[in-house]
Amino acid sequence: MTHVRNSRVFSWLSGILVTVLMVTGCGGKKKEKRETPSRKSHERVDSRPVPMHQPVPLWEDGRPRGKIDAAKADTEGYIVVDLGEEWTPYIFSSPPGAEPAAYRKTYLALAQGRFPDNHHGDRARKDEYLELYGIMPTLNLLHKRFVAMSKRQCINALDLEALRRFDGFIAYRQDRANKNVQRSFAALERRVGEIVRAAGAGTLEALNLETLSDVDRGHVAAYVKQAPKVEAIRATQARLQCEGYFEGLGRYLDGVLDWRTHEAIAKFERRHRAYGWGYIGKDTLEKLRTPSLELERQAVVRVLTERALHAAGVLEDGSTVMRHDGTRRTFRGADGKPHALRNLEAEIRDHIKRAFALDTPESTLAFFSRLGNIPTEKLVAVKGITLPEYYSKDMDFYAEIDRGDIWYDFPFDNQGLERPQPRHFRPSLTLYVKYNGQNIPLARYGTTVGGWRSDFENGHVMWRFKDSPVGPRVWQKIVAAPVWLPPESTPHKDLLQRSPKKGVKWEVDYDDMGPSYASAYGLVAAYHYKYQKRSDGSLTVGGDEGIRTHGSVDYMSVARRHSHGCHRLQNHLAVRLMSFILAHRAHTRIGQRRVALERDLEYDGEIYKLELREGGFEFQLNKPVYVNVTEGRIRGKAKKPIAHAIPKFDADAGVYVTPDGGAVQVSPTGKLTDIPFPIQDEGALDPNQEMLPQPYGPAPASSTPGPLPPPAASAPAHTPP
């Protein structure tokens, strides 16, 4: 390709030279009268444009309008976005001559809506919609979904008014209770209908309550109180039925949030990136109120904006724009003046919407029609943004992880009941850039820190506090599609999962080990290392404590729960953050790591063979990123982590039972006091489950999420060397 381009340039220049020679008469022998014309009269200006190294179409107002040179796009105020089917974030990219991550092939298949014939496909087929898990759908897949939804005639008849009126929260309850609720409300609904008809009112609103008996007024009052909730559930079920989310789930119970409705809502949430547990409330309720095709349009805008963010190499999403006191945050520029921080994600989203005319579902479908079937690579240009002056090819990053409110106290009392441990501030991670003597916060994300977790010790399940070590660390190694290698002490059952295959009860849980979007470390992990600074200013990096900043498939855990000490991020944010750091920090592609782990897992009378051969894809930063983990705000009586394990509460015995069969009481500071076994109480509660919910489980009252701590108004508490 280079040879062809150079040949064309040579022919072009030769033509100009011949023309110049003919005009000046350099080849003739006849001597003519000499003149001394101005230099300008001898110059020839070629009107043809300079050949482009890589011409790409420039999109404006929903259609291509001319071309620009992709090689000069960033210097001329444009962003080149790849709309192709083989786009991936940088961590899974395939530069010319470089080895890509082995997981790239799986990432692309899942992004395109294809399910491989292996455990990756089995898991993805169950989840179906993967955007919440960090796998961004391709444009061809979005187009296919958009068209399919537009062909569902029932969406035009959906009545969403009951959802717009409803402003509460509805959680899933066991189906036995739901059936009782359904029967009770059905009887109440019939009775109120009879009351309205008997009064000749026509509608409930027209009913004169003064003419009713006390009993009938009670029936009407009960109905008025319960009806908004039931109507919201019915409107939700009608929508989910129309849009196909009940397919494969069977019949649901009308007007109650039963298991099938709960599962259908969870699928709806995954498709439209709504953060919830499969309930009706908050983000999910907002999506349920939105017309079907509008949600499809929003998905297209989200995906294109994400690709443009990666292409432009920006991170600012507005999360650090405002100070805690409500004033706008600024930085001091090279001119000595204050400049407001910006929401670059919002700016790019606006440019994307204008360039491709994505303002309405109709205009978005028209955009797809102009694109046609999208190939593996399709580069286009859109109007870009002016980057802040603190941007450069090698930015001096610094990360701070604020642990928020920390409770070291043991979280259960001596009746096995959960002790209240309110957290006003949740943990957060803020990425700064050091510029002009300042630490400028670029983005702030909710994250997790360690807490009380179940731990397997000497054959017994115990409680143990899993701490997140405080103090300075560095990120030097970033691993795409990381793999968790389970220690020998891991119970074999914990490494197995139910098999979707007929006739097979269990299989090895490779999803949790990875590489997988569902792995323990998600799609990407940055390793925390201790370091020492030598006299010449260089660093000796070492001391891996097993702590990572990593993505997580359990996206709701970031808002509610503890980790085993690591700092979790939602998968798509972890991918965005680490790709951004690699885009602005010199690094080496170490490449694909190989592992050799074999283990026989014995459970339920069967042997299952665990074999891991593939590790993650490693990048190494030439200059590490300093990370400081703050102590946070220590709450409660215990002022440091409780080092010893604490037994689980035995509901049958009504006491904490030690591994040797003794009984103890546990103080908030973890002190164990031997006591005799009490008389058993059949009504004792059983807290021998994880104290915090699974992704779609109810949130305990004491875990109500508070705000993230604000980033420091000036320099962080710890300034790295």
Side-chain angles (χ1 to χ4, degrees):
M1 190 65 168
T2 303
H3 172 73
V4 173
R5 186 184 297 119
N6 290 340
S7 298
R8 291 174 177 171
V9 172
F10 178 80
S11 300
W12 176 60
L13 292 173
S14 299
I16 295 176
L17 179 59
V18 170
T19 304
V20 171
L21 290 173
M22 290 178 63
V23 171
T24 57
C26 293
K29 293 184 179 181
K30 184 177 179 180
K31 191 174 184 179
E32 298 182 359
K33 183 178 179 180
R34 297 177 62 88
E35 296 182 0
T36 56
S38 68
R39 178 179 176 84
K40 189 173 182 179
S41 65
H42 286 271
E43 293 177 352
R44 177 181 176 87
V45 179
D46 187 64
S47 61
R48 292 173 294 179
V50 176
M52 294 184 180
H53 294 300
Q54 190 177 12
V56 296
L58 172 63
W59 278 70
E60 295 177 342
D61 301 322
R63 60 185 69 247
R65 299 185 186 278
K67 294 185 177 182
I68 69 160
D69 192 344
K72 301 178 181 178
D74 56 345
T75 61
E76 296 181 355
Y78 299 103
I79 302 173
V80 175
V81 184
D82 184 2
L83 308 184
E85 285 292 282
E86 292 196 354
W87 176 89
T88 65
Y90 178 75
I91 60 170
F92 299 124
S93 62
S94 180
E99 173 195 26
Y103 190 71
R104 172 184 169 86
K105 182 178 179 182
T106 300
Y107 182 99
L108 288 172
L110 300 180
Q112 294 164 10
R114 296 183 289 111
F115 302 134
D117 188 19
N118 53 30
H119 71 91
H120 294 295
D122 292 340
R123 171 66 193 241
R125 195 174 291 107
K126 179 181 68 174
D127 293 332
E128 191 169 358
Y129 303 108
L130 307 179
E131 187 180 344
L132 264 178
Y133 300 142
I135 306 288
M136 306 301 290
T138 65
L139 293 182
N140 275 338
L141 178 58
L142 288 178
H143 187 197
K144 180 180 177 182
R145 291 179 185 172
F146 210 141
V147 171
M149 187 62 69
S150 67
K151 291 181 178 179
R152 291 181 180 267
Q153 297 299 318
C154 58
I155 64 174
N156 299 317
L158 288 175
D159 185 357
L160 306 179
E161 191 56 36
L163 289 164
R164 296 190 180 104
R165 290 195 305 265
F166 183 75
D167 194 27
F169 180 82
I170 308 172
Y172 161 71
R173 298 198 302 177
Q174 292 184 350
D175 284 356
R176 180 179 298 177
N178 279 324
K179 289 179 180 178
N180 293 333
V181 170
Q182 184 191 41
R183 285 193 292 267
S184 175
F185 184 80
L188 179 63
E189 192 172 34
R190 286 194 299 271
R191 178 58 190 143
V192 170
E194 292 169 355
I195 293 170
V196 170
R197 287 191 294 274
T203 65
L204 180 62
E205 291 73 18
L207 190 64
N208 184 357
L209 298 179
E210 298 298 327
T211 64
L212 303 181
S213 67
D214 290 343
V215 172
D216 285 348
R217 276 200 299 271
H219 288 148
V220 171
Y223 177 82
V224 169
K225 182 178 179 180
Q226 298 177 37
K229 178 178 176 179
V230 174
E231 290 170 357
I233 295 174
R234 285 173 173 169
T236 297
Q237 291 172 329
R239 173 170 194 159
L240 297 173
Q241 179 68 42
C242 168
E243 296 180 357
Y245 294 102
F246 281 114
E247 292 175 6
L249 295 178
R251 296 188 61 181
Y252 56 84
L253 295 174
D254 177 64
V256 292
L257 208 164
D258 61 350
W259 178 85
R260 292 175 177 84
T261 305
H262 159 70
E263 287 293 300
I265 292 174
K267 285 203 292 185
F268 175 88
E269 289 171 336
R270 292 196 294 273
R271 175 160 172 162
H272 298 298
R273 205 159 91 180
Y275 295 97
W277 284 283
Y279 303 155
I280 298 176
K282 294 187 177 179
D283 286 359
T284 304
L285 186 56
E286 180 183 346
K287 299 286 186 180
L288 287 168
R289 293 166 174 163
T290 305
S292 306
L293 296 185
E294 170 59 18
L295 287 182
E296 302 302 321
R297 182 198 71 85
Q298 291 177 9
V300 176
V301 173
R302 276 197 312 274
V303 168
L304 285 170
T305 300
E306 193 70 29
R307 291 196 182 193
L309 284 173
H310 283 265
V314 300
L315 191 69
E316 292 90 323
D317 58 2
S319 55
T320 60
V321 165
M322 304 303 293
R323 293 187 178 89
H324 191 52
D325 61 5
T327 60
R328 194 174 184 89
R329 193 178 299 277
T330 62
F331 71 95
R332 187 179 67 259
D335 57 5
K337 298 178 181 179
H339 299 269
L341 295 190
R342 295 153 56 195
N343 184 341
L344 302 187
E345 179 183 6
E347 292 180 26
I348 285 179
R349 184 185 303 111
D350 288 342
H351 285 303
I352 287 291
K353 289 167 62 177
R354 284 197 296 269
F356 299 127
L358 305 178
D359 296 313
T360 66
E362 294 75 18
S363 66
T364 305
L365 280 172
F367 159 70
F368 276 124
S369 297
R370 295 188 185 99
L371 275 181
N373 190 56
I374 303 171
T376 58
E377 180 182 79
K378 186 177 181 62
L379 301 180
V380 301
V382 299
K383 181 182 177 183
I385 61 174
T386 302
L387 294 178
E389 62 185 77
Y390 49 76
Y391 268 72
S392 66
K393 291 183 179 179
D394 191 12
M395 299 172 70
D396 192 4
F397 294 126
Y398 164 71
E400 183 170 272
I401 298 174
D402 186 332
R403 299 199 310 167
D405 291 338
I406 298 292
W407 289 83
Y408 294 131
D409 290 7
F410 185 62
F412 297 111
D413 65 17
N414 284 306
Q415 285 71 49
L417 301 176
E418 190 177 347
R419 288 190 175 103
Q421 294 184 342
R423 291 170 173 82
H424 182 64
F425 287 115
R426 291 287 304 169
S428 67
L429 184 156
T430 304
L431 184 71
Y432 296 84
V433 60
K434 299 172 78 68
Y435 174 76
N436 200 18
Q438 306 158 92
N439 291 307
I440 303 172
L442 303 180
R444 184 166 58 108
Y445 305 128
T447 187
T448 60
V449 293
W452 287 95
R453 307 289 296 185
S454 293
D455 202 23
F456 194 79
E457 297 191 14
N458 300 321
H460 298 274
V461 180
M462 307 278 281
W463 286 115
R464 183 174 285 280
F465 190 87
K466 300 288 187 175
D467 198 21
S468 295
V470 303
R473 301 293 189 272
V474 291
W475 292 336
Q476 185 176 51
K477 182 166 71 173
I478 295 175
V479 179
V483 170
W484 171 64
L485 301 178
E488 288 281 354
S489 60
T490 308
H492 290 184
K493 182 181 183 298
D494 291 356
L495 301 178
L496 301 173
Q497 63 180 351
R498 291 284 184 180
S499 175
K501 303 178 181 67
K502 290 184 178 180
V504 180
K505 192 173 183 180
W506 300 95
E507 63 182 23
V508 177
D509 186 5
Y510 288 112
D511 295 323
D512 193 40
M513 286 174 268
S516 169
Y517 68 84
S519 77
Y521 292 147
L523 287 173
V524 65
Y527 287 47
H528 286 229
Y529 288 110
K530 292 183 175 180
Y531 66 89
Q532 289 183 338
K533 189 175 182 181
R534 295 192 289 264
S535 58
D536 61 358
S538 60
L539 299 182
T540 299
V541 177
D544 183 0
E545 302 167 287
I547 302 300
R548 315 282 185 255
T549 293
H550 63 82
S552 176
V553 67
D554 189 358
Y555 48 85
M556 294 305 291
S557 71
V558 175
R560 296 277 183 178
R561 298 203 294 278
H562 297 102
S563 68
H564 286 80
C566 287
H567 307 291
R568 299 176 185 168
L569 300 172
Q570 291 164 355
N571 253 336
H572 78 284
L573 293 179
V575 170
R576 183 190 293 182
L577 173 64
M578 298 307 166
S579 292
F580 173 79
I581 289 174
L582 291 170
H584 296 283
R585 194 79 158 193
H587 62 274
T588 303
R589 296 173 70 98
I590 301 299
Q592 189 68 43
R593 291 302 193 184
R594 308 297 174 187
V595 298
L597 176 63
E598 293 186 6
R599 194 176 299 171
D600 288 335
L601 307 178
E602 184 175 357
Y603 181 71
D604 202 18
E606 298 288 339
I607 300 293
Y608 302 89
K609 190 75 171 179
L610 185 162
E611 293 181 296
L612 282 177
R613 297 285 181 264
E614 185 179 285
F617 188 92
E618 183 179 335
F619 301 86
Q620 183 161 311
L621 297 172
N622 296 357
K623 185 173 67 172
V625 171
Y626 290 99
V627 181
N628 186 50
V629 182
T630 71
E631 186 176 54
R633 287 150 290 278
I634 308 303
R635 310 285 301 278
K637 296 180 179 180
K639 300 304 178 183
K640 59 182 181 180
I642 296 171
H644 57 271
I646 294 178
K648 293 265 184 168
F649 187 84
D650 188 308
D652 293 330
V655 73
Y656 292 93
V657 179
T658 61
D660 61 4
V664 295
Q665 286 187 336
V666 185
S667 74
T669 57
K671 181 180 179 181
L672 304 181
T673 304
D674 292 331
I675 60 172
F677 271 93
I679 299 174
Q680 294 184 7
D681 179 5
E682 295 181 357
L685 297 176
D686 180 11
N688 289 333
Q689 304 292 327
E690 284 295 339
M691 57 179 280
L692 295 164
Q694 295 302 311
Y696 299 128
S702 64
S703 297
T704 301
L708 301 178
S714 56
H718 170 76
T719 303

